Amino acid sequence: MKICFVNSTNKWGGVKSWTLDVACGLANRGHHAVIVGRPGPFVDKARDMGLEAMGLSFGPDFNPLLISRFIGMFRKGKIGLVVVNVGKDMRSAGIAARVLGIPVVHRVGLAGDMLNTWKVRLMHKWVRPSILVPCEQIKNGMLQELPYLRPEEVTVVLTGKEPAPEPPATVHSPLRFISTSQLNADKGHKDVLGALAGLKKLGYDFYYDIVGTGRIETELKALASRLDLDDRVVWHGFQKDVRSTLRKSDIFLLPSYSEGLPNTLLEAMAEGLVCVARDTGGVNEVWPRQAQRLLLPASSDAQHVATTLKSLLKTEVEDILELGQIFWNAANENSLRIMSDKIDYFFQAQGACR
């Protein structure tokens, strides 16, 4: 089967990581994946991974020239299934697929990504896509916010990552914390910086690696300076290979106030890092029971974060390694291989097998 993944978003988010993982997993199962997105890191990374990829400009919704281009592309490439992400994808590639009678899968990363507007209702009624989500929390949120959806229209396949061959066997001294989320206000970086500033004043030693870019990057860097953390925080910017940076750290921090099922967490678990996160979105659907004390309430404040990080800074090396093993084991229970098998079955069930 030939599958075209279309993603018109500008920033790198979890769905793009999911897309590349799934495309490679399906390629290993004999399918052919084509990636279409805006020129830049997403398309470049796809090519680096050996995938067929195309960069193009999307323009306004319902762009007839773009729709015509997709029709030609799908027809010439003998595409059997089109996978879209956001509404703009649906209102271009989704329309082209509908004209050609090609099944469409709408992969939704957050319940709020689909608003109850006339555009969304129109596209859902006319294109009739199958909806795929990465966790039960998102499915339940969509059914609540979009009354026209039926439960059987939404399929859940938990996102999985390829686990590292083994969890870490050593711990850095001092401990290295890391976050790999976009630098946006809802990701909670400010709470971590505030917590670490207090711990530094108490004499604790550590480093904090921050990977990513975002809307409040300048603000966060200024805050780190005001909190006297310039000697403890390392800013890595955008990284194509996030997992190589994760391997150089010990404790993964996800203080987000809003999530679906975050790829960043799954990547850290797959590397065997000890994880600390707020209980938001679908995080608790993959969180190991043996590490519940590190899953903070969704309403927890910076002081709660500080208390948890302080406990880890006081934890013995052997116990840190044991916690890492717990998260690595949990990642193995929902690996990339398991996810790819389920996605393969789901895609073929859409009647797109050629």
Side-chain angles (χ1 to χ4, degrees):
M1 173 165 49
K2 287 191 173 183
I3 307 160
C4 184
F5 294 86
V6 181
N7 190 312
S8 63
T9 58
N10 290 292
K11 298 292 185 180
W12 192 294
V15 176
K16 287 185 175 178
S17 297
W18 174 89
T19 297
L20 298 181
D21 284 344
V22 169
C24 287
L26 294 176
N28 292 335
R29 288 159 176 75
H31 302 290
H32 182 85
V34 180
I35 307 296
V36 178
R38 298 181 190 273
F42 177 55
V43 171
D44 294 342
K45 179 67 173 179
R47 289 172 178 156
D48 291 343
M49 297 171 71
L51 298 168
E52 181 181 347
M54 175 184 298
L56 53 78
S57 299
F58 283 79
D61 289 350
F62 305 109
N63 183 344
L65 293 178
L66 181 59
I67 294 170
S68 177
R69 184 172 183 179
F70 273 123
I71 289 174
M73 184 191 311
F74 295 162
R75 182 181 286 131
K76 182 178 180 181
K78 298 181 180 179
I79 298 299
L81 179 70
V82 174
V83 183
V84 300
N85 173 211
V86 295
K88 185 173 288 294
D89 310 340
M90 182 71 74
R91 294 186 280 271
S92 54
I95 292 175
R98 178 68 176 87
V99 169
L100 295 173
I102 300 172
V104 175
V105 170
H106 188 181
R107 204 282 189 175
V108 181
L110 289 171
D113 287 349
M114 286 182 68
L115 302 176
N116 193 5
T117 65
W118 70 268
K119 284 185 181 181
V120 173
R121 293 193 298 270
L122 173 64
M123 288 295 95
H124 181 78
K125 183 176 182 179
W126 189 64
V127 178
R128 299 196 300 275
S130 298
I131 298 174
L132 178 65
V133 298
C135 63
E136 291 289 343
Q137 185 270 344
I138 295 175
K139 176 177 180 176
N140 294 335
M142 292 182 66
L143 293 175
Q144 182 176 351
E145 296 298 325
L146 304 172
Y148 58 85
L149 286 182
R150 303 187 309 276
E152 59 269 22
E153 292 182 271
V154 186
T155 299
V156 177
V157 176
L158 285 174
T159 302
K161 293 290 180 179
E162 184 64 31
E166 295 179 347
T170 59
V171 174
H172 295 86
S173 181
L175 277 179
R176 296 197 76 107
F177 299 106
I178 186 170
S179 294
T180 58
S181 303
Q182 294 182 25
L183 305 187
N184 298 331
D186 65 323
K187 297 302 181 182
H189 293 85
K190 290 182 180 180
D191 290 340
V192 174
L193 293 174
L196 293 179
L199 293 172
K200 180 182 178 181
K201 289 180 180 178
L202 293 174
Y204 289 97
D205 201 8
F206 54 83
Y207 286 105
Y208 182 31
D209 295 297
I210 299 180
V211 178
T213 60
R215 292 186 293 272
I216 66 168
E217 180 174 354
T218 301
E219 183 181 347
L220 288 173
K221 289 180 177 178
L223 176 61
S225 295
R226 290 198 304 273
L227 294 173
D228 191 29
L229 288 173
D230 284 338
D231 61 335
R232 305 298 179 91
V233 177
V234 182
W235 303 90
H236 294 268
F238 174 79
Q239 296 290 315
K240 283 187 178 181
D241 186 5
V242 172
R243 292 188 62 165
S244 67
T245 308
L246 286 168
R247 294 184 193 110
K248 300 172 185 175
S249 300
D250 306 294
I251 312 291
F252 174 78
L253 307 179
L254 184 73
S256 297
Y257 290 98
S258 175
E259 287 290 350
L261 181 60
N263 273 270
T264 54
L265 171 65
L266 299 173
E267 289 170 343
M269 291 174 62
E271 289 297 335
L273 270 64
V274 178
C275 298
V276 177
R278 281 193 170 98
D279 186 2
T280 183
V283 168
N284 61 11
E285 295 182 40
V286 296
W287 198 267
R289 291 190 301 275
Q290 307 96 309
Q292 281 299 117
R293 70 181 180 88
L294 300 178
L295 183 59
L296 310 181
S299 59
S300 58
D301 57 15
Q303 184 55 51
H304 198 154
V305 175
T307 300
T308 303
L309 300 189
K310 181 179 178 180
S311 71
L312 289 170
L313 288 167
K314 296 168 64 176
T315 301
E316 296 293 333
V317 169
E318 293 77 10
D319 294 330
I320 293 289
L321 293 175
E322 183 178 344
L323 282 168
Q325 177 84 48
I326 288 171
F327 282 98
W328 184 79
N329 289 343
N332 276 272
E333 293 174 4
N334 188 55
S335 67
L336 175 61
R337 177 187 59 79
I338 293 171
M339 178 189 71
S340 297
D341 286 343
K342 293 178 179 178
I343 294 288
D344 187 2
Y345 178 83
F346 172 71
F347 280 2
Q348 295 204 53
Q350 308 314 300
C353 190
R354 293 291 185 264

